[in-house]
């Protein structure tokens, strides 16, 4: 599906963000990258996305600086992992806001329940922000995990961006 217009140079920052994040699958790819998915095969299996669509979306996320493409050896072949950059990592508040909106306005009868944020240092639920609601310590990405998510039971630590 090809878009007829681009908002990449729009004056409005919401339009520019929509130009990068607004295509189908893009936010779900970022969600999974935030949860630590790095390999093409894993994105494909977790999302059920067609190879050509995944290839296009990953290339655009790399091109726009939200993911970086790093080579690794798999047997005799060179393949690539896709890791969050600082820009991709900075999309976390958008993912949290969409998750909260989705929990409030599109409840799932079959899902694991609301997606929550856990401060792993104290083990308590918190909300996105600067400090933990329970212990008051500063929230650092490496000390956060999602619980009650689409990937099943347990806690899913949030991936750190590459330097």
């Amino acid at each position: 599906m090809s878009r007829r217009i681009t908002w990449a140079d729009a004056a409005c920052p919401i339009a520019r963000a929509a130009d990068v994040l607004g295509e189908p699958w893009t936010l779900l790819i970022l969600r999974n990258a935030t949860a630590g998915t790095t390999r093409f095969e894993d994105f494909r299996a977790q999302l059920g996305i067609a190879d050509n669509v995944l290839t296009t979306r990953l290339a655009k996320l790399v091109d726009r600086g939200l993911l970086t493409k790093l080579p690794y050896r798999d047997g005799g072949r060179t393949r690539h992992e896709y890791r969050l950059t600082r820009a991709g990592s900075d999309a976390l508040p958008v993912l949290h806001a969409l998750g909260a909106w989705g929990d409030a306005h599109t409840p799932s009868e079959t899902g694991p329940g609301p997606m929550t944020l856990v401060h792993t240092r104290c083990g308590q639920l918190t909300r996105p922000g600067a400090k933990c609601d329970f212990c008051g310590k500063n929230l650092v990405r490496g000390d956060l995990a999602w619980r009650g998510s689409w990937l099943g039971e347990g806690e899913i630590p949030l991936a750190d961006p590459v330097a």
Side-chain angles (χ1 to χ4, degrees):
M1 169 167 60
S2 152
R3 273 199 280 178
R4 292 181 216 153
I5 61 170
T6 180
W7 298 312
D9 295 323
C12 175
I14 295 171
R16 292 191 311 270
D19 191 67
V20 177
L21 301 175
E23 291 179 324
W25 297 105
T26 297
L27 288 168
L28 299 179
I29 292 168
L30 278 178
R31 174 200 66 187
N32 285 35
T34 297
T37 302
T38 60
R39 297 190 175 181
F40 186 94
E41 300 80 20
D42 295 332
F43 282 111
R44 181 180 55 206
Q46 292 168 4
L47 296 170
I49 185 174
D51 285 2
N52 63 324
V53 175
L54 180 57
T55 298
T56 301
R57 296 304 185 274
L58 288 170
K60 184 171 184 179
L61 288 168
V62 169
D63 183 55
R64 297 307 279 278
L66 280 77
L67 296 176
T68 190
K69 191 174 171 180
L70 301 171
Y72 71 94
R73 296 293 289 170
D74 183 18
R77 296 175 48 163
T78 298
R79 295 180 177 243
H80 293 92
E81 289 186 331
Y82 297 88
R83 302 283 179 121
L84 286 172
T85 63
R86 179 61 55 200
S89 175
D90 286 349
L92 183 60
V94 174
L95 297 175
H96 284 156
L98 285 170
W101 187 91
D103 280 336
H105 300 288
T106 63
S108 171
E109 299 298 323
T110 59
M115 191 167 117
T116 56
L117 187 63
V118 178
H119 182 216
T120 57
R121 290 233 168 181
C122 70
Q124 299 298 315
L125 298 181
T126 190
R127 291 172 293 171
K131 296 194 179 287
C132 176
D133 292 336
F134 185 79
C135 71
K137 300 262 193 237
N138 288 336
L139 291 177
V140 177
R141 184 184 186 94
D143 296 336
L144 295 172
W146 283 331
R147 184 186 293 163
S149 74
W150 72 103
L151 287 175
E153 298 299 319
E155 294 177 0
I156 300 165
L158 303 187
D160 285 325
V162 294

